[in-house]
């Protein structure tokens, strides 16, 4: 289908983009790589009056080492995340999961910020950002800036805490220390498809045990969620497959996964338990 009519601007700077978005009012929308928004426009599920194109803004792209964290520009593409040496060294799970997003063409155009701002619980990177304890940095009308914890950012299906007029400029991601292992497990029907369920697991290893774990779940509810019960069960567990599988048994506790052509809620709960066991074992190095 052909999208409904809209106006289009491509500002040269972030300040201009913030201004254009404010001038456009509630019916203005940011477009970055267009990999999620364009399909919505073509299906006429979104009707913005104005698109503010932030694709290619250099201020939004790239990775900065900020000491104990990385600040990753919202416009950084999935391809850049996969290949950036600093991301690979300090937040390897982000590079790993970005490499599982869609296909090479989408990974070249699609952006980290776009994936998060889209707020799709089936997206791979929101659950990873949640497990990592990332913080979103948003700039609003007049240039005001605020930070939003990932745990507060995903509000509902395709809905985030970003307000009209706000642009996500970057994401602060704490560095993982050398004692942390990680794994993103994605279960999909065909290669390069969306996750039926995904699990992002981080495990801090200590003396044959997992001292601490952080687990984010993809497509297990209307927003990406943490598997808190499984995290608690993993803390202090022996780093063995049997012990980690036992801890993973609670991975689906309290979840309300969707039902669709790819699977019923019970099937997704089963997948969440199995994938969490696998992801924890890989993260713990067993
Ligand atoms: C064929 C195909 C397969 C796909 N498979 C997967 C997959 O397996 N896993 C996966 O996770 N995703 C998948 N996707 C989705 C896609 O990769 C991401 O959602 C996409 O990369 C989003 O980034 P974008 O820059 O293209 O965002 P856009 O499409 O430009 O924007 C998406 C939304 O975010 C908003 N937005 C974008 N940037 C900003 C910003 N800086 N500030 C505020 N709001 C912003 C837009 O207004 C819009 O609402 C797939 C997409 C396609 C087309």
């Amino acid at each position: 289908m052909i999208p409904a009519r809209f106006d289009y601007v491509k500002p040269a700077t972030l300040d201009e983009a913030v201004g254009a978005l404010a001038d456009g009012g509630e019916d203005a929308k940011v477009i970055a790589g267009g990999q999620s928004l364009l399909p919505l426009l073509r299906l006429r599920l979104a009707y913005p009056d104005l698109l503010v194109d932030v694709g290619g803004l250099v201020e939004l792209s790239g990775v900065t080492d900020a000491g104990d964290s990385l600040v990753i520009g919202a416009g950084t593409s999935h391809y850049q995340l996969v290949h950036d040496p600093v991301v690979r060294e300090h937040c390897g799970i982000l590079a790993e999961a970005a490499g599982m997003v869609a296909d090479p063409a989408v990974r070249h155009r699609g952006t980290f910020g776009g994936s998060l701002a889209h707020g799709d619980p089936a997206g791979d990177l929101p659950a990873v950002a949640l497990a990592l304890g990332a913080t979103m940095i948003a700039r609003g009308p007049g240039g005001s800036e605020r930070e939003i914890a990932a745990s507060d950012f995903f509000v509902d299906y395709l809905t985030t805490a970003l307000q009209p007029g706000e642009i996500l400029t970057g994401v602060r991601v704490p560095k993982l220390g050398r004692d942390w292992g990680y794994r993103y497990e994605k279960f999909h029907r065909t290669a390069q498809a969306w996750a039926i369920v995904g699990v992002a697991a981080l495990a801090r290893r200590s003396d044959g045990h997992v001292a601490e774990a952080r687990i984010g779940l993809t497509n297990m509810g209307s927003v990406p969620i943490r598997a808190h019960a499984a995290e608690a069960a993993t803390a202090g567990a022996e780093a063995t497959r049997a012990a980690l599988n036992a801890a993973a048994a609670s991975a689906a506790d309290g979840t309300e996964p969707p039902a669709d052509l790819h699977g019923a809620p019970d099937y997704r709960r089963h997948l969440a338990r199995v994938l969490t066991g696998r992801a924890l074992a890989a993260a713990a190095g067993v």
Side-chain angles (χ1 to χ4, degrees):
M1 266 166 61
I2 309 285
R5 188 182 171 84
F6 55 82
D7 289 328
Y8 171 88
V9 292
K10 189 164 175 56
T13 66
L14 178 58
D15 283 346
E16 279 179 37
V18 170
L21 201 58
D23 292 346
E26 290 219 346
D27 291 323
K29 241 182 147 27
V30 172
I31 186 164
Q35 298 305 297
S36 290
L37 186 53
L38 281 177
L40 290 184
L41 297 180
R42 292 176 67 94
L43 292 167
R44 300 212 174 192
L45 294 172
Y47 298 83
D49 288 338
L50 170 70
L51 286 187
V52 178
D53 189 347
V54 298
L57 279 185
V58 284
E59 294 148 284
L60 294 187
S61 185
V63 179
T64 307
D65 190 329
D68 54 6
S69 63
L70 302 182
V71 178
I72 302 176
T76 305
S77 69
H78 303 310
Y79 177 86
Q80 287 173 287
L81 288 180
V82 173
H83 294 283
D84 189 282
V86 182
V87 173
R88 292 173 76 93
E89 181 180 352
H90 297 294
C91 301
I93 192 170
L94 202 48
E96 180 180 62
M100 295 186 210
V101 170
D103 52 54
V106 173
R107 291 199 289 273
H108 273 275
R109 293 221 42 106
T111 65
F112 186 27
S115 282
L116 301 175
H118 189 48
D120 185 348
D124 296 297
L125 302 186
V128 176
L130 198 60
L132 282 166
T135 303
M136 317 304 169
I137 307 166
R139 192 174 301 183
S144 59
E145 206 161 83
R146 69 180 179 120
E147 299 204 351
I148 310 157
S151 52
D152 297 326
F153 187 74
F154 303 104
V155 174
D156 204 345
Y157 184 72
L158 301 189
T159 308
T160 70
L162 285 175
Q163 295 299 308
E166 280 188 319
I167 293 180
L168 183 64
T169 59
V171 185
R172 190 184 306 282
V173 186
K175 286 180 183 173
L176 290 174
R178 293 198 183 282
D179 46 352
W180 283 87
Y182 60 82
R183 174 62 68 96
Y184 185 66
E185 283 282 334
K186 176 172 179 172
F187 191 85
H188 43 188
R189 203 164 49 85
T190 56
Q192 306 184 340
W194 299 88
I196 299 175
V197 172
V199 175
L202 304 172
R204 184 162 62 79
R205 299 173 289 214
S206 172
D207 200 19
H209 289 73
V210 174
E212 185 184 352
R214 301 172 69 90
I215 302 165
L217 302 178
T218 298
N219 218 0
M220 285 294 290
S222 59
V223 291
I225 46 179
R226 290 269 296 275
H228 287 296
E231 290 177 358
T234 307
E238 268 184 63
T240 62
R241 281 178 183 260
L244 297 174
N245 280 338
S250 51
D253 287 10
T255 60
E256 291 182 26
D260 58 27
L261 283 176
H262 303 297
D266 277 351
Y267 175 61
R268 285 193 156 90
R269 290 190 189 96
H270 168 74
L271 282 178
R273 291 189 283 267
V274 172
L275 297 177
T276 298
R278 284 184 200 163
L280 283 173
V286 293

